[in-house]
Amino acid sequence: MSGSILAVAVALVGLVATFFWFGVNRRREAEVELGIQALAAMKWRDSIDVILEALQREGYSRKHDPAAASGGSDLLLDHGNEAVLLTYKHGTAYRLGDASIREIANAMQQRGAKRGLLLTLGTAESTVDAVAASGGVHVFDGRSLWMMVRPFMSPAVLELVRTQAAARTRKGLWTGAVGSLLAGAAIYATAGLLPDSKTVATPALQSAPRPEDGARVPRADDAMLKQLHATAEEMAEIAKLPSAELARRRAKAAKEIALIPQVN
C-alpha cells in the first residue's frame, strides 16, 4: 500500500470514527441528559401531563380516584379494565432501590391496584428491575422516561435540546477531524522518507528466515491498526482540553501542515 493511499485511508477512518462517536453517539447521550434536565425544570403537574399523554398511547387512561385530590404523587390509571398505580418522583436526585419498590407495593395494596408504574428522572439500581418485576411494577428511570415522552414534548423544548446537544459535541467533532487529518498528513510525510521497496536486494529477501508453521506473520495492517488506536486515544484526551488550548493547537497544526512540500 503506497504512502498516499495509507494516509487517505487513515484520515478517512479517523473522520468516520469521529463522526459516529461525537456526531451520533455522544450527541445522542447529550440529548438524553439535556432532555432529562428539561423535564426536571418543568413543574410537577406540567411534566405529569406530558407523561399521561405518552401513556395514553399505550392504552392507559386516568381513573377517577378521590385519593388523588390530596395532592400526592400517586395516580390511579386504567389499562384494559385493570387498575394501575402510577408513582412519579419528579427530580434527578432520586435513586430507586428496593425501598422504593416496597413503598409502591404498599400503596398498590391500599389503592387496590394490580400493577404499578414507578417513574423518576433520577436513576435506578441495577437490581431493582428484577425485584420490581416480581411485584408487578414497571420501573422507568430518567433515560427511559425521556425516550417515552420525547415525541410529546413541545417543539420549542426539543429544538433547544438539539441545539445545546450539538454545541456540546461540536468541540469533539472539530478535535477529531483535525486529529484525523494530522494523522493522515503525518503518515503521508513519513512515507516519503522511507526507502522504496523495489531497491531492496533480492538476496536479502531470500535470506530472510521463514516463519515456522503456525507462526503469525506481522502485516502492514497491524501497524495501521495500532496507529488508529493510538490516534483514537489521543483524540479522546485532546477533546478534554479547554477551547483556548484547542485554538492554539489548531493554529500550530495549520502552520506545520503548510510546511509539508507535498501538501497543496
Side-chain angles (χ1 to χ4, degrees), residues 134-180:
S134 63
V137 178
H138 191 180
V139 176
F140 290 82
D141 61 1
R143 170 181 291 273
S144 56
L145 182 57
W146 166 251
M147 298 306 295
M148 181 180 71
V149 305
R150 184 181 182 276
F152 303 92
M153 299 294 292
S154 67
V157 172
L158 289 177
E159 182 62 26
L160 180 62
V161 168
R162 294 192 190 102
T163 302
Q164 292 179 347
R168 279 193 181 186
T169 56
R170 188 175 296 118
K171 183 173 74 171
L173 282 169
W174 275 106
T175 302
V178 171
S180 301

Side-chain angles (χ1 to χ4, degrees), residues 36-148:
I36 294 173
Q37 294 176 6
L39 279 172
M42 299 169 61
K43 295 181 180 179
W44 183 90
R45 186 160 299 280
D46 293 335
S47 59
I48 198 65
D49 286 342
V50 178
I51 292 172
L52 290 175
E53 185 178 359
L55 289 174
Q56 188 175 3
R57 173 180 287 186
E58 304 297 328
Y60 292 90
S61 60
R62 189 165 181 176
K63 185 181 180 67
H64 175 68
D65 182 19
S70 61
S73 60
D74 296 341
L75 297 176
L76 205 57
L77 308 178
D78 267 330
H79 186 262
N81 296 324
E82 184 179 51
V84 180
L85 184 65
L86 166 66
T87 297
Y88 173 48
K89 297 184 179 298
H90 186 62
T92 58
Y94 286 100
R95 181 175 176 84
L96 303 181
D98 295 350
S100 302
I101 303 303
R102 289 193 296 269
E103 180 183 349
I104 189 174
N106 293 334
M108 289 165 53
Q109 186 176 7
Q110 295 175 3
R111 307 280 283 276
K114 299 297 183 181
R115 293 191 297 111
L117 298 175
L118 180 57
L119 287 66
T120 184
L121 294 175
T123 59
E125 296 178 359
S126 58
T127 59
V128 75
D129 284 333
V131 178
S134 63
V137 178
H138 191 180
V139 176
F140 290 82
D141 61 1
R143 170 181 291 273
S144 56
L145 182 57
W146 166 251
M147 298 306 295
M148 181 180 71

